[in-house]
Amino acid sequence: MKRPILIHPDPRLKKMAAPVADLSDARRELARDMLETMYAAPGIGLAAPQVGVLERLIVLDCVKEEGAAPRPLVMFNPEVTAASDKLNTYEEGCLSIPEQYADVTRPAEVQVRWIDQTGAEREEEFGGLWATCVQHEIDHLNGKLFIDYLGPMKRQMITRKMVKLKREKAKA
Ligand code: K1U
Ligand code: ZN
């Protein structure tokens, strides 16, 4: 089932999400719903706070090539265990800040440890778009949005646009 995505500004997008203690059927269903919501948007990642659930769960699939097999990843309690000194700048977007994009600089490679949907602990190194996306999603779990990397003027301008968008959507 697709779930509605919260649009910035929303206090739930600024809160720290709680660690997941156990993998219940409800949590596995939430992960499935998040993948469905992400693919439908369309997007390459989604964090549980974006659907109003303040728990440490993210999903991602950064395979973009036409005809390539999808690679959906479900990460409970993801943690960056190492980050490269080398940096990478990518023009990021966010499903909670529609149609706004800005360059964000982050470590180019990160090692991430997480619990998968079967309860197994996994660890893997990510580079390229995967590294950018997994860091963007973990930021969501810490109440941080990509616009928090921008200067106050640009951030304010985007926030004002989102307030206007939400007002227009509420009227429609
Ligand atoms: O967390 C989110 O809001 C999802 C976001 C993830 C992200 C995008 C770009 C850089 C870092 C993280 C998105 O998926 S925005 C949509 C998007 O980037 C996209 C949509 C369709 C095809 C390819 C990309
Ligand atoms: Zn986002």
Side-chain angles (χ1 to χ4, degrees), residues 148-165:
D148 294 325
Y149 291 93
L150 312 179
M153 297 275 280
K154 194 136 194 235
R155 187 166 58 241
Q156 228 172 62
M157 194 187 74
I158 292 176
T159 299
R160 285 201 187 112
K161 281 187 187 166
M162 291 301 106
V163 169
K164 194 164 166 239
L165 176 82

Side-chain angles (χ1 to χ4, degrees), residues 50 93-96 136-137 140:
Q50 292 180 278
C94 181
L95 297 175
S96 294
H136 174 116
E137 300 311 330
H140 274 300

Side-chain angles (χ1 to χ4, degrees), residues 20-166:
V20 173
D22 59 278
L23 294 197
S24 59
D25 285 347
R27 288 200 171 102
R28 285 196 190 88
E29 188 180 343
L30 169 64
R32 277 196 301 273
D33 286 355
M34 284 171 56
L35 280 169
E36 191 181 335
T37 306
M38 176 193 84
Y39 284 125
I44 54 172
L46 193 67
Q50 292 180 278
V51 293
V53 178
L54 289 173
E55 294 190 351
R56 301 188 80 78
L57 164 63
I58 64 174
V59 298
L60 61 160
D61 185 347
C62 298
V63 174
K64 280 169 91 184
E65 300 80 26
E66 276 278 318
R71 191 188 180 217
L73 288 182
V74 173
M75 299 184 174
F76 291 95
N77 299 335
E79 271 177 79
V80 173
T81 53
S84 63
D85 291 333
K86 195 176 125 201
L87 301 175
N88 183 37
T89 300
Y90 192 87
E91 191 180 49
E92 296 192 14
C94 181
L95 297 175
S96 294
I97 311 177
E99 287 169 36
Q100 304 300 316
Y101 305 90
D103 280 352
V104 178
T105 300
R106 303 178 184 272
E109 284 116 33
V110 284
Q111 181 100 9
V112 180
R113 185 167 56 213
W114 74 95
I115 306 292
D116 73 13
Q117 61 274 41
T118 72
E121 185 173 298
R122 309 250 314 254
E123 189 153 10
E124 191 175 320
E125 188 174 301
F126 295 98
L129 182 56
W130 286 90
T132 296
C133 187
V134 75
Q135 291 174 82
H136 174 116
E137 300 311 330
I138 292 173
D139 273 353
H140 274 300
L141 303 182
N142 297 325
K144 190 163 182 169
L145 301 172
F146 83 90
I147 56 170
D148 294 325
Y149 291 93
L150 312 179
M153 297 275 280
K154 194 136 194 235
R155 187 166 58 241
Q156 228 172 62
M157 194 187 74
I158 292 176
T159 299
R160 285 201 187 112
K161 281 187 187 166
M162 291 301 106
V163 169
K164 194 164 166 239
L165 176 82
K166 284 176 83 171

